[in-house]
Amino acid sequence: MPIIIASSNGSVGIDAGWEMLTRGGSALDAVEAATRLVEDNPDDHSVGYSGYPNLLGEVELDASIMDGSTLRAGAVGGLRGYRYALSVARRVMEELPHVLLVGEGAARFAAEIGMQPENLLTPEAEQTWRAGIEGHATLDWAGISELVAQLLKRSAQLTRDPEHATGTVNFIAQDAAGHIASAVSTSGWAWKYPGRLGDSSIIGAGNYADSRYGAAACTGWGEAAIRAGTARSVVLYLKAGYTLETACREAFGDLQPIMRGTPNAMSLVALDRHGNHCAFSTSEDRTYVYRTDGMASAVELPRLVV
Ligand code: ASP
């Protein structure tokens, strides 16, 4: 019965999540353990340490976790200076009467629970950031005048390199007791406007789990997932009796008017309570990974294209 699925960049963490499940760990423990390894991965510039920064060169992380058996959730947005955004989100869920902390409050809470502060911007990510903003605007990095603020706004709208400017990790696990948990962690859209929150920290948009039906988690154009409430919509379509694949197709149908004409991509992974899994993307050649009983290691599968 246990199973864990992830976006393809979750392959560095999925086996650790699986081990957790086979040792009797909860779905929550599994998705957290798996996510931390992705947040550690210096080669992944879309999550945690070495994530690509915002327009001003500051790494701002978004993350959320949901316990599908209690419908408790925790999230952080615009977290600076702490790589384990998902663990901070979990502690928000477990220790505060809140769901979402942002910015300075999120960093303050991370410090209070003993997380180690650090500079998340690696020289490599910094170099790419400098190259990425080049040509979009002439910016006076020393002092942000009114004019520069306007240019910043404009160039935030010009962050258009889907291969390099976006990325997120999704994990969904079901444990031996049938509990489902989902986790999402990201440094968001590269060169985003400072303070921009994506879908990854918005429960219902980029992440939703309900052990009675299933779970879904998104990557891609966060603004679209926020506008359509995508992750929650998949779960509601499951509740309405659709198969997993049809539930996902319905959710993409809801996204259609938002996606029309945009160069941005949307993708999701989904799991139902019976252990069925699938993943969809508006882009070709995207994959996801999963591991369940009887498998020696995680297997990569193609996503269905919508
Ligand atoms: N969904 C993320 C965001 O909008 C980015 C991504 O997955 O590409 O922040």
Side-chain angles (χ1 to χ4, degrees), residues 26-144:
S26 69
L28 279 172
D29 291 337
V31 294
E32 183 183 7
T35 302
R36 285 174 74 97
L37 291 171
V38 186
E39 290 170 336
D40 276 337
N41 182 5
D43 298 327
D44 190 330
H45 296 297
S46 68
V47 181
Y49 177 72
S50 88
Y52 284 146
N54 66 18
L55 200 52
L56 296 174
E58 302 152 338
V59 181
E60 292 185 333
L61 305 181
D62 299 340
S64 63
I65 187 164
M66 186 152 187
D67 176 352
S69 293
T70 59
L71 304 186
R72 287 183 313 159
V76 289
L79 174 67
R80 292 187 196 167
Y82 296 88
R83 78 169 67 181
Y84 297 118
L86 198 274
S87 295
V88 183
R90 182 170 180 181
R91 300 285 291 270
V92 170
M93 175 176 83
E94 290 175 343
E95 290 169 35
L96 294 178
H98 304 311
V99 169
L100 172 59
L101 293 184
V102 298
E104 280 174 25
R108 179 194 173 102
F109 180 67
E112 279 171 359
I113 61 173
M115 296 276 171
Q116 283 308 309
E118 63 183 319
N119 175 19
L120 303 179
L121 184 66
T122 59
E124 195 192 339
E126 184 175 357
Q127 206 179 20
T128 312
W129 163 67
R130 288 195 184 282
I133 59 165
E134 232 166 40
H136 288 322
T138 308
L139 299 173
D140 170 9
W141 297 106
I144 300 175

Side-chain angles (χ1 to χ4, degrees), residues 166-168 188-189 196 198-200 219-220 222:
T166 61
T168 293
W189 198 342
R196 175 263 189 188
D199 58 324
S200 306
T219 56

Side-chain angles (χ1 to χ4, degrees), residues 2-6 14 17-18 21 30-31 34 171-174 289-291:
I3 181 166
I4 182 164
I5 70 169
I14 195 166
W18 173 253
L21 290 172
V31 294
F171 281 102
I172 302 174
Q174 184 181 41
V289 286
Y290 84 105
R291 187 162 176 189

Side-chain angles (χ1 to χ4, degrees), residues 140 143-152:
D140 170 9
I144 300 175
S145 65
E146 193 57 34
L147 175 66
V148 172
Q150 281 175 17
L151 285 172
L152 278 175

